[in-house]
């Protein structure tokens, strides 16, 4: 296999005012022609910095050493690191293009989608605007964007996440690049859209005979779509080889740890291994969690939440007098019960109504019709509204966005204690917060630190501690681990299971990751277009689905190669 990129002794140092951090440490590898090469590893392993080095997209206060040799179509060799900013511009977007991780921030919010792709075409190709527009619409059709002419005229905020990602793919391939770098291209997408996007990328790669460098922390994605895999940790290459070698015959303990951290059907009821377990050759033997017996008649009679004939409609069109003429049915006549101390998992693709349901239960959205009975009381009854709010808490998807950056974490956790007047004295509140920090695996010294001083996993622990502070009866986890790498995800899932066992709270877990939902949940509800299409025991739903839509979700799950 001829290489299109050869990286030799690449080192990246991030320079701060008084220190230097070695982010990438003397790595070497090649990217073959017409192949998909994946770099996998946890957050901070140096994956993205390695990719950014190829196109010289790193901050100015960065020291880069080594060689990045690019073989052009005429087989000429160019060391990209030696090029000036002026000389590398013709390469960016034309010969080497990139799909960035977050489609909303990668697209200009004030320029229509079609015009953004046209700008790239006009920059690198000698054609007129009419031809560029025709090519853009053709690219939109090629990337399976329905109603391409309409998408051309829309702004990024007017289309879905999956559609935005397709626009970025169209932009990346518009000049037939030799190398496409895809940085976490499907992180925030549900499994069906993710599967569709990755199939599209694979088809584009084969049709255009281009090379792809896939950056991902999703091992299943790499297993399903990559030809070669590189495992990175703390700026170093730990292991590399074919998917069969990496996933079926891993040699390094770190690779084995990455694979073991992922929930699978056999891990249900047991703590997930984390990296610390692999410091020695043998993984520690874990005892199973204490699980609730939901077949117990007494437990089944203890309904904590009842959702009955719930409808939530949003106006979609209005007439000239401002009266709504049509509605979007976010929740369309659903009913279910949640029993004391159980965990209900809710799965479905984006837009199916999962988060709307959670916000309605939390009294953040007024229902159109139906009832929500919590602990025997209607949560929307005026006399009960404030009383019940304390008993319902949520842990959001983005831990940084849900913490006030101006408050120390001690103050953030203490805030609900003060709001609900649970602990009047300040020093008593601090004692409670310190206990909560220790409960979620943090230190008492962390009390005065601010959110930016913590990692993503630590911030999620802080959010869990804040939600637990007022000892709620019902906890809702809304995509609370979707943005975390596998090791941190395993730690948070273990923490949630530990807290469920020790504090006996009831929970609703919302996610598009079916393996995570199966691992945590006692029962699962599958939602589509605002309706529940299937529900039942978690193992029955995930391992033996009956509804065609549930089967589609299961089939779209990444990691078929090593799923047990």
């Amino acid at each position: 296999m001829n290489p299109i990129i050869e990286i030799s002794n690449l080192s990246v140092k991030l320079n701060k005012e008084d220190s230097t951090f070695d982010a990438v440490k003397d790595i070497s590898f090649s990217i073959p022609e017409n192949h998909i090469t994946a770099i996998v590893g946890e957050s901070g392993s140096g994956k993205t910095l390695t990719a950014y080095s190829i196109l010289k997209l790193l901050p100015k206060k960065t020291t880069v050493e080594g060689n990045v040799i690019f073989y052009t179509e005429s087989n000429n060799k160019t060391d990209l690191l030696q090029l000036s900013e002026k000389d590398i511009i013709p390469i960016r977007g034309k010969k080497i293009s990139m799909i960035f991780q977050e489609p909303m921030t990668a697209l200009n919010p004030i320029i229509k989608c079609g015009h953004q792709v046209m700008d790239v075409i006009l920059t690198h190709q000698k054609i007129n605007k009419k031809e560029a527009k025709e090519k853009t619409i053709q690219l939109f059709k090629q990337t399976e964007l329905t109603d391409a002419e309409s998408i051309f005229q829309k702004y990024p905020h007017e289309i879905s996440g999956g559609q935005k990602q397709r626009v970025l793919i169209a932009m990346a391939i518009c000049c037939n690049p030799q190398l496409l770098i895809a940085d976490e291209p499907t992180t925030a997408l549900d499994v069906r859209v993710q599967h569709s996007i990755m199939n599209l990328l694979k088809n584009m790669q084969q049709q255009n005979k281009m090379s792809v460098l896939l950056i991902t922390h999703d091992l299943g994605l790499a297993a399903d779509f990559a030809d070669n895999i590189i495992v990175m940790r703390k700026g170093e290459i730990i292991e590399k080889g074919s998917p069969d070698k990496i996933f079926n015959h891993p040699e390094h303990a770190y690779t084995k740890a990455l694979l073991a951290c992922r929930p699978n059907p056999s891990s249900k009821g047991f703590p997930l291994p984390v990296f610390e377990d692999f410091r020695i050759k043998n993984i520690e033997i874990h005892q199973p969690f204490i699980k609730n017996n939901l077949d117990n008649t007494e437990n089944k009679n203890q309904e904590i939440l009842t959702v009955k004939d719930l409808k939530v409609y949003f106006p979609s069109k209005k007439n000239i007098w401002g009266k709504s003429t049509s509605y979007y049915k976010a929740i369309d006549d659903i009913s279910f019960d949640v029993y004391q101390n159980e965990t209900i998992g809710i799965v479905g693709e984006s837009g199916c109504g999962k988060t709307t349901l959670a916000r309605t239960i939390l009294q953040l959205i007024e229902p159109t019709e139906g009832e929500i009975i919590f602990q025997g009381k209607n949560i929307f009854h005026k006399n009960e509204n404030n009383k019940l709010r304390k008993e319902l808490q949520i842990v959001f998807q983005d831990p940084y966005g849900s913490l006030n950056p101006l408050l120390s974490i001690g103050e953030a956790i203490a805030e609900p204690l003060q709001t609900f007047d649970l602990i009047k004295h300040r020093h008593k509140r601090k004692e409670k917060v310190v206990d909560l920090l220790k409960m979620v695996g943090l230190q008492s010294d962390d009390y005065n630190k601010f959110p930016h001083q913590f990692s993503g996993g630590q911030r999620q622990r802080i959010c869990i501690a804040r939600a637990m502070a007022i000892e709620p009866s019902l906890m809702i986890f809304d995509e609370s681990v979707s943005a975390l790498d596998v090791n941190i995800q395993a730690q948070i899932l273990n923490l949630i299971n530990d807290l469920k066992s020790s504090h006996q709270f009831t929970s609703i877990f919302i996610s598009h990751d079916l393996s995570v939902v199966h691992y945590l949940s006692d029962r699962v509800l599958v939602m589509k277009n605002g309706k529940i299409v299937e529900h039942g025991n978690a193992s029955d739903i995930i391992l033996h689905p009956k509804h065609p839509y549930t089967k589609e979700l299961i089939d779209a799950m990444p990691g078929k190669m090593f799923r047990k």
Side-chain angles (χ1 to χ4, degrees):
M1 292 183 292
N2 296 323
I4 190 169
I5 290 280
E6 274 187 343
I7 293 177
S8 305
N9 308 115
L10 178 69
S11 295
V12 178
K13 296 181 180 180
L14 303 178
N15 302 314
K16 299 182 179 179
E17 292 181 1
D18 54 353
S19 64
T20 300
F21 174 66
D22 293 322
V24 178
K25 305 171 186 176
D26 195 29
I27 66 170
S28 300
F29 68 93
S30 62
I31 302 173
E33 287 183 340
N34 197 22
H35 280 68
I36 297 178
T37 300
I39 302 181
V40 301
E42 60 186 316
S43 299
S45 60
K47 308 185 300 293
T48 296
L49 289 176
T50 300
Y52 279 25
S53 299
I54 294 173
L55 285 173
K56 298 187 71 173
L57 293 173
L58 296 172
K60 290 183 179 179
K61 290 185 178 181
T62 304
T63 304
V64 182
E65 298 175 350
N67 304 100
V68 178
I69 305 299
F70 173 51
Y71 291 85
T72 61
E73 291 168 332
S74 55
N75 209 29
N76 292 325
K77 295 195 301 183
T78 303
D79 190 344
L80 299 178
L81 295 185
Q82 302 304 316
L83 296 180
S84 65
E85 184 67 19
K86 180 182 178 181
D87 290 334
I88 203 169
I89 285 176
I91 294 176
R92 289 182 190 151
K94 184 177 182 180
K95 296 181 179 179
I96 304 176
S97 60
M98 189 163 188
I99 303 171
F100 294 93
Q101 181 171 352
E102 177 48 59
M104 192 63 217
T105 55
L107 291 169
N108 191 324
I110 61 171
I111 298 178
K112 293 177 180 179
C113 294
H115 291 274
Q116 295 192 52
V117 179
M118 274 182 62
D119 287 343
V120 177
I121 295 171
L122 292 170
T123 299
H124 294 290
Q125 298 181 23
K126 295 180 179 180
I127 58 177
N128 58 43
K129 288 185 178 181
K130 182 182 178 181
E131 292 171 326
K133 181 177 180 179
E134 290 174 355
K135 184 168 184 177
T136 299
I137 291 173
Q138 186 59 40
L139 282 164
F140 282 176
K141 291 177 180 178
Q142 191 179 351
T143 52
E144 299 173 16
L145 276 167
T146 55
D147 197 5
E149 289 82 1
S150 174
I151 297 290
F152 184 94
Q153 295 295 339
K154 288 186 176 180
Y155 292 94
H157 71 273
E158 296 179 296
I159 60 178
S160 69
Q163 288 174 320
K164 284 194 278 281
Q165 203 62 283
R166 283 176 161 83
V167 171
L168 284 176
I169 292 172
M171 189 184 299
I173 66 170
C174 66
C175 296
N176 297 319
Q178 292 174 255
L179 173 64
L180 173 63
I181 302 172
D183 184 15
E184 300 281 9
T186 61
T187 297
L189 304 177
D190 61 68
V191 286
R192 286 217 311 170
V193 177
Q194 174 180 267
H195 189 71
S196 174
I197 292 294
M198 288 308 301
N199 276 330
L200 174 63
L201 270 178
K202 182 82 174 179
N203 291 337
M204 295 293 99
Q205 178 259 327
Q206 292 174 343
Q207 288 175 20
N208 298 341
K209 299 190 182 300
M210 65 182 175
S211 302
V212 174
L213 179 62
L214 173 66
I215 309 297
T216 182
H217 66 257
D218 191 326
L219 300 168
L221 216 62
D224 289 345
F225 291 96
D227 302 301
N228 309 291
I229 295 174
I230 298 165
V231 182
M232 287 190 70
R233 185 192 185 196
K234 294 182 178 179
E236 298 179 322
I237 291 177
I238 298 298
E239 195 168 353
K240 54 186 174 182
S242 67
D244 178 65
K245 175 184 180 297
I246 295 298
F247 293 114
N248 293 330
H249 310 285
E251 297 176 359
H252 199 280
Y254 177 75
T255 310
K256 295 175 183 177
L258 279 176
L259 298 174
C261 288
R262 301 179 76 252
N264 62 65
S266 63
S267 61
K268 186 174 178 64
F270 293 84
L272 293 167
V274 295
F275 290 167
E276 287 73 16
D277 297 333
F278 288 81
R279 290 179 179 175
I280 56 175
K281 290 185 179 179
N282 296 319
I283 307 173
E284 296 174 12
I285 299 174
H286 293 289
Q287 294 298 317
F289 291 109
I290 300 171
K291 294 186 67 60
N292 299 307
N293 182 8
L294 294 177
D295 294 327
N296 186 293
T297 305
E298 182 183 352
N299 201 16
K300 276 230 172 186
N301 290 334
Q302 296 175 351
E303 295 175 0
I304 189 172
L305 179 74
T306 296
V307 175
K308 186 177 180 182
D309 304 324
L310 185 67
K311 297 179 181 179
V312 180
Y313 296 170
F314 296 115
S316 57
K317 287 184 179 180
K318 294 183 178 181
N319 58 26
I320 58 174
W321 296 281
K323 186 176 180 180
S324 299
T325 57
S326 63
Y327 295 87
Y328 169 66
K329 298 179 180 181
I331 303 291
D332 192 14
D333 195 17
I334 67 173
S335 301
F336 64 93
D337 297 316
V338 181
Y339 300 108
Q340 186 77 37
N341 300 337
E342 81 165 332
T343 297
I344 287 286
I346 302 179
V347 299
E349 59 191 321
S350 299
C352 71
K354 304 187 301 292
T355 298
T356 300
L357 174 60
R359 292 184 177 184
T360 307
I361 293 171
L362 289 165
Q363 308 165 57
L364 299 176
I365 295 175
E366 190 83 22
T368 306
E369 286 183 26
E371 293 181 309
I372 299 178
I373 308 299
F374 179 68
Q375 294 180 335
K377 299 171 184 177
N378 189 331
I379 66 171
F380 288 98
H381 193 283
K382 290 183 179 179
N383 294 331
E384 303 295 341
N385 189 287
N386 291 331
K387 295 178 186 177
L388 295 175
R389 188 172 291 278
K390 169 188 169 295
E391 301 299 322
L392 303 162
Q393 290 294 306
I394 186 168
V395 180
F396 293 100
Q397 178 176 354
D398 179 10
Y400 193 77
S402 54
L403 290 170
N404 188 332
L406 302 179
L407 289 182
S408 70
I409 65 160
E411 292 172 318
I413 297 172
E415 192 174 37
L417 295 171
Q418 189 173 5
T419 300
F420 289 101
D421 200 24
L422 298 178
I423 302 178
K424 296 183 182 296
H425 299 291
R426 186 174 180 179
H427 71 278
K428 290 288 186 183
R429 286 200 299 269
K430 185 171 182 179
E431 288 177 5
K432 174 71 172 177
V433 171
V434 169
D435 289 342
L436 288 163
L437 288 172
K438 291 178 180 177
M439 179 186 74
V440 297
L442 297 173
Q443 305 298 318
S444 57
D445 295 342
D446 294 328
Y447 184 95
N448 292 313
K449 293 180 181 178
F450 289 85
H452 72 273
Q453 295 176 277
F454 295 90
S455 68
Q458 288 174 321
R459 286 196 289 264
Q460 201 61 287
R461 290 173 183 268
I462 293 163
C463 291
I464 292 172
R466 182 179 61 179
M468 292 287 294
I470 55 178
E471 299 179 4
S473 301
L474 178 66
M475 292 267 285
I476 298 177
F477 297 90
D478 187 9
E479 299 282 8
S480 301
V481 297
S482 62
L484 305 177
D485 59 63
V486 286
N487 182 48
I488 304 301
Q489 175 180 274
Q491 292 176 20
I492 297 299
L493 293 177
N494 287 342
L495 172 62
I496 293 171
N497 266 335
D498 282 334
L499 294 174
K500 281 166 56 183
S501 296
S502 60
H503 288 72
Q504 298 293 298
F505 60 78
T506 307
S507 56
I508 295 174
F509 195 89
I510 296 170
S511 179
H512 63 257
D513 190 328
L514 280 76
S515 60
V516 169
V517 168
H518 173 249
Y519 175 73
L520 272 183
S521 305
D522 301 299
R523 290 188 294 132
V524 172
L525 309 178
V526 182
M527 291 189 66
K528 181 184 181 183
N529 298 331
K531 294 181 178 292
I532 296 173
V533 297
E534 190 169 1
H535 63 90
N537 176 275
S539 293
D540 290 340
I541 295 293
I542 302 301
L543 302 179
H544 308 288
K546 295 179 180 178
H547 195 277
Y549 177 71
T550 310
K551 292 177 181 178
E552 285 182 35
L553 291 178
I554 302 294
D555 290 341
M557 288 172 62
K560 294 181 181 65
M561 179 178 181
F562 58 98
R563 194 184 303 155
K564 296 179 182 178

